[in-house]
């Protein structure tokens, strides 16, 4: 059959509520035009993030009931640990309440001022946690990763020559670890090829630099390898995942993505001495090492989710549903990062609103207009999220790309929701010439996109 269907049926439903255009104007104004500050009840289709928003399966809910809440030595932990070790192959598994807690424990253990951490592209919390330790986070994406219209298959790759040059420049001793984010969220949800993972690993191992993988979307990345990279078509996704992680020395993971869970994460390593230091810190801030920051029921949900996410009918549907949205808006002329990513479609805001300067935050305008038009919540991934203010002049230093991310929660929306999305996005695109820019009315010194407030420089919704 040509039609790729949702490989599940629905047992529990959650109503969503349409608001009027007038109501949405009011909600936006009260939120300082920052969609993070909206109440989710006032959002019809919520594409703010794919993180922690998955629908859990009946097996996961059964796991929730099985959860054992013993403080130490819970069987739920051992089921979680077995699932992680079986898939990722690392000796030491440290549970955390979400991905950034794993990042904080890792970086505050291995990084110090003067250190440099390369990555294909750091996610915002990864960068912030590295910088909080006094080290510097350096992005080394391949050049095509910064060209939204370039349709190459592995635009999430790291530029290996730039990695070698960085090591020569700062010295291997200043690089406590190298990271690879799969898929590359900030770079458009684009996958990293096995060839690139292997090459980066060889460079790192040659210099004694541990390679860590930010594993949030490991299954989506592995399925892209199966579909796009020669030699992997006949391999099981799980075997591909195992090969990926055989090239690494550890990983950080937010189970809120490809763990198909609503909360949780972990840090893993093969280095016993390091694991001991990390567990000491874990006890200080997260909890005892057999639960970390999670309840026993969360550990169970993740143990099941990690297995379900590797099912190929699920992955086929997952990538097809994101591609469906990308291809349909693209066919109507909406510029997006090509090819569509694994967990999200990224609108190229700079090409969508070429008349709005990056310093006037074009992505922010599109986010606001999608909410006004149809109650859709996306997120700006451009100058608001990754730019910064020049401390001397107060001018905005723009990000490398101006994107709007429409992240698809896993197993939540159906094809008719996506058809509605297409209609709304295309309607905003058709009236794009009347859309102007925004400026900051308030911004915090770090991770400013979460709490910022904005002022429109045009008549919103016109
Ligand atoms: C690539 C990547 N790394 C790390 C994180 C942080 O994970 P968490 O939100 O669970 O702290 C995220 C979350 O979106 C992510 O996308």
């Amino acid at each position: 059959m040509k039609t790729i269907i949702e490989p599940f049926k629905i047992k529990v439903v959650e109503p969503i509520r349409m608001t009027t255009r007038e109501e949405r104007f009011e909600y936006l104004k009260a939120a300082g035009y920052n969609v993070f500050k909206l109440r989710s009840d006032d959002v019809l289709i919520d594409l703010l993030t794919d993180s922690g928003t998955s629908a859990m399966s009946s097996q996961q809910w059964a796991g929730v009931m099985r959860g054992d809440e013993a403080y130490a030595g819970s069987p739920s932990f051992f089921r979680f640990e077995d699932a992680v070790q079986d898939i990722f192959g690392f000796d030491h598994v440290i549970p955390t309440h979400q991905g950034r807690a794993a990042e904080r424990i890792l970086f505050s253990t291995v990084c110090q001022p003067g250190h440099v951490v390369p990555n294909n592209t750091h996610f915002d919390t990864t960068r912030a946690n590295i910088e909080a330790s006094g080290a510097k986070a350096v992005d080394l994406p391949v050049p095509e990763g910064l060209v939204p219209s370039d349709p190459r298959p592995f635009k999430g790759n790291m530029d290996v020559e730039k990695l070698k040059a960085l090591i020569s420049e700062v010295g291997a001793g200043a690089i406590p670890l190298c990271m690879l984010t799969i898929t590359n969220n900030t770079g458009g949800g684009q996958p990293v090829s096995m060839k690139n993972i292997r090459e980066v690993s060889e460079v790192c191992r040659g210099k004694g630099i541990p390679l860590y993988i930010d594993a949030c979307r490991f299954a989506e990345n592995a399925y892209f390898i199966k579909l796009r990279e020669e030699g992997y078509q006949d391999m099981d996704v799980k075997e591909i995942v195992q090969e990926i992680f055989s090239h690494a020395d550890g990983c950080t993971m937010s189970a809120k993505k490809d763990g198909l869970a609503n909360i949780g994460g972990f840090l893993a390593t093969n280095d016993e001495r390091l694991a001991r230091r990390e567990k000491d810190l874990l006890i200080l801030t997260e909890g005892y090492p057999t639960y970390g920051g999670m309840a026993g029921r969360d550990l169970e949900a993740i143990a099941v989710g990690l297995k379900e996410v590797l099912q190929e009918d699920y992955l086929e549907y997952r990538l097809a549903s994101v591609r469906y949205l990308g291809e349909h808006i693209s066919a109507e002329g909406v510029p997006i990062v090509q090819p569509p990513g694994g967990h999200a479609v990224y609108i190229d805001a700079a090409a969508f609103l070429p008349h709005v300067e990056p310093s006037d935050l074009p992505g922010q305008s599109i986010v606001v207009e999608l909410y006004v038009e149809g109650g859709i919540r996306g997120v700006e991934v451009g100058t608001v999220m990754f730019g910064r203010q020049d401390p001397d002049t107060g001018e905005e230093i723009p990000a490398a790309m101006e994107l709007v991310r429409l992240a698809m929660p896993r197993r939540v929306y159906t094809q008719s929701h996506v058809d509605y999305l297409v209609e709304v996005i295309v309607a905003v695109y058709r009236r794009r010439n009347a859309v102007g820019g925004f400026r900051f009315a308030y911004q915090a010194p770090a991770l400013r996109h979460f709490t910022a407030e904005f002022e429109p420089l045009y008549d919103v919704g016109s």
Side-chain angles (χ1 to χ4, degrees), residues 98-100 103 123 125 181 185 214 216-217 254 256-257:
Q98 62 184 93
R100 68 197 68 185
E103 292 169 351
F123 182 66
T125 61
T181 303
N185 184 3
D214 178 335
C216 291
R217 300 177 179 85
S254 167
K256 299 171 74 174
K257 285 82 171 174

Side-chain angles (χ1 to χ4, degrees), residues 343-369:
H343 66 294
V345 169
Y346 290 68
I347 294 175
D348 178 357
F352 192 114
L353 298 178
H355 53 283
V356 179
E357 291 297 319
S359 55
D360 290 340
L361 316 175
Q364 179 59 23
S365 309
I366 296 174
V367 167
V368 165
E369 292 295 341

